[in-house]
Amino acid sequence: MKNFLIPTLLTPDTIAAVKTAINHSKNENAKIILFLVTDEINSFSAAQYLREQDSLITHKELDVLDNCRDLIEKFPNCKLEFKRQSGITSPLLKNFLQFHSVDLVLLTNSVITSKKTVHTNLVQILENQKTPILRLISDHTTQLNKAIYLENAYSRLNIDDIQHYMQDQFPLQKISQVLKKEQETSEYINSLLKEVLSKNDIDFVIETRSSERSKIKSKKQNQLNQHFDIPVLSLHEETV
């Protein structure tokens, strides 16, 4: 069984993320968790807490949730759950990922680009976990068939490690090309990557991350995700 976590703002790109998870399930049993994280509610009254929590979701956002539920009904192998969390901490998220045995986190563009502190903290905390992260773009469904691997010059991993991991976790995916980064200037790598993406039918980019360097790399990776308008699969080095 595959378990997917989709942090959401209940914007339309959530629907595309759910479709991506369904496609990636490859007709295996799958659980898709929509995870709505909001600012912490400070209240001494349980009734007031519930009132404030209910007021956080608009009718437009409820429509997105209903669309996701309608979509999932067409796929008997998939189950949809909706979880809400007021505030977020690293221990809480770590326990959540372990409890639900999350195999892949799908980050929507709306969450990645959100200016709210609670969402920037959520993305940063996710970067420090060991769960694979797929950063999506706009509101398009992502196909995970053909990839290019950006090899970090300081990584302990090589293409064989990545290919073996991908065959095990993502069996239908193909790594078509490898580019080494941090051995050349970022301008050169960006130019080369742009050329490769324009001449090849690449669906997504693979990168690796480590806990020690995630704070430095997260902004750079997000910029790559948005600048080239292509999904980025981030793998933690300790899980490959």
Side-chain angles (χ1 to χ4, degrees):
M1 182 172 184
K2 293 180 179 293
N3 297 318
F4 303 94
L5 178 69
I6 304 176
T8 179
L9 304 186
L10 292 180
T11 46
D13 57 4
T14 299
I15 301 173
V18 171
K19 291 180 180 179
T20 299
I22 292 172
N23 289 343
H24 186 56
S25 70
K26 305 299 181 184
N27 295 321
E28 297 180 24
N29 290 334
K31 179 171 70 173
I32 302 171
I33 305 170
L34 299 182
F35 190 43
L36 177 64
V37 179
T38 58
D39 291 319
E40 189 172 0
I41 299 174
N42 295 316
S43 174
F44 293 104
S45 164
Q48 181 183 355
Y49 178 91
L50 292 174
R51 284 195 300 270
E52 292 188 21
Q53 187 182 49
D54 289 338
S55 67
L56 293 176
I57 300 183
T58 67
H59 290 294
K60 193 173 182 179
E61 292 167 342
L62 284 174
D63 287 341
V64 171
L65 185 56
D66 287 339
N67 286 333
C68 291
R69 287 169 174 159
D70 292 340
L71 175 63
I72 214 74
E73 288 181 357
K74 301 176 183 178
F75 299 90
N77 63 302
C78 295
K79 175 184 177 183
L80 184 70
E81 295 185 3
F82 178 56
K83 305 293 184 182
R84 300 173 63 176
Q85 175 62 38
S86 174
I88 194 69
T89 63
S90 182
L92 188 153
L93 183 58
K94 181 178 181 180
N95 290 336
F96 185 94
L97 293 172
Q98 291 178 346
F99 179 80
H100 291 282
S101 301
V102 173
D103 298 300
L104 179 66
V105 176
L106 292 87
L107 275 180
T108 61
N109 190 53
S110 58
V111 171
I112 293 173
T113 59
S114 175
K115 303 300 183 183
K116 284 193 172 184
T117 301
V118 67
H119 299 137
T120 56
N121 288 343
L122 172 63
V123 173
Q124 184 60 70
I125 293 172
L126 280 170
E127 290 282 351
N128 287 316
Q129 306 304 312
K130 297 180 181 180
T131 308
I133 299 172
L134 178 64
R135 300 185 191 88
L136 303 172
I137 54 172
S138 61
D139 56 353
H140 299 293
T141 305
T142 298
Q143 299 294 329
L144 299 177
N145 297 316
K146 192 175 180 182
I148 184 171
Y149 172 45
L150 285 182
E151 184 177 357
N152 191 328
Y154 301 102
S155 173
R156 62 176 178 81
L157 302 173
N158 56 42
I159 181 59
D160 292 332
D161 297 321
I162 298 297
Q163 188 70 71
H164 179 75
Y165 176 85
M166 294 296 291
Q167 288 175 350
D168 182 46
Q169 300 295 325
F170 304 83
L172 298 184
Q173 280 64 48
K174 176 184 177 183
I175 299 178
S176 63
Q177 198 163 348
V178 180
L179 291 178
K180 288 184 179 291
K181 63 177 184 175
E182 296 189 20
Q183 290 180 331
E184 304 284 353
T185 64
S186 59
E187 291 80 8
Y188 173 78
I189 291 297
N190 287 342
S191 175
L192 187 58
L193 180 58
K194 184 177 181 180
E195 180 180 355
V196 170
L197 294 178
S198 66
K199 294 182 178 180
N200 298 273
D201 188 21
I202 302 295
D203 296 313
F204 65 112
V205 175
I206 301 173
E207 287 193 327
T208 59
R209 70 185 190 277
S210 62
S211 300
E212 295 77 12
R213 304 182 65 218
S214 62
K215 291 184 179 180
I216 299 174
K217 293 173 64 179
S218 59
K219 287 186 178 180
K220 182 178 178 181
Q221 290 174 324
N222 291 345
Q223 289 171 357
L224 174 69
N225 178 237
Q226 298 164 36
H227 180 68
F228 290 102
D229 198 35
I230 190 168
V232 176
L233 177 63
S234 174
L235 305 176
H236 197 285
E237 294 196 355
E238 293 181 22
T239 63
V240 177

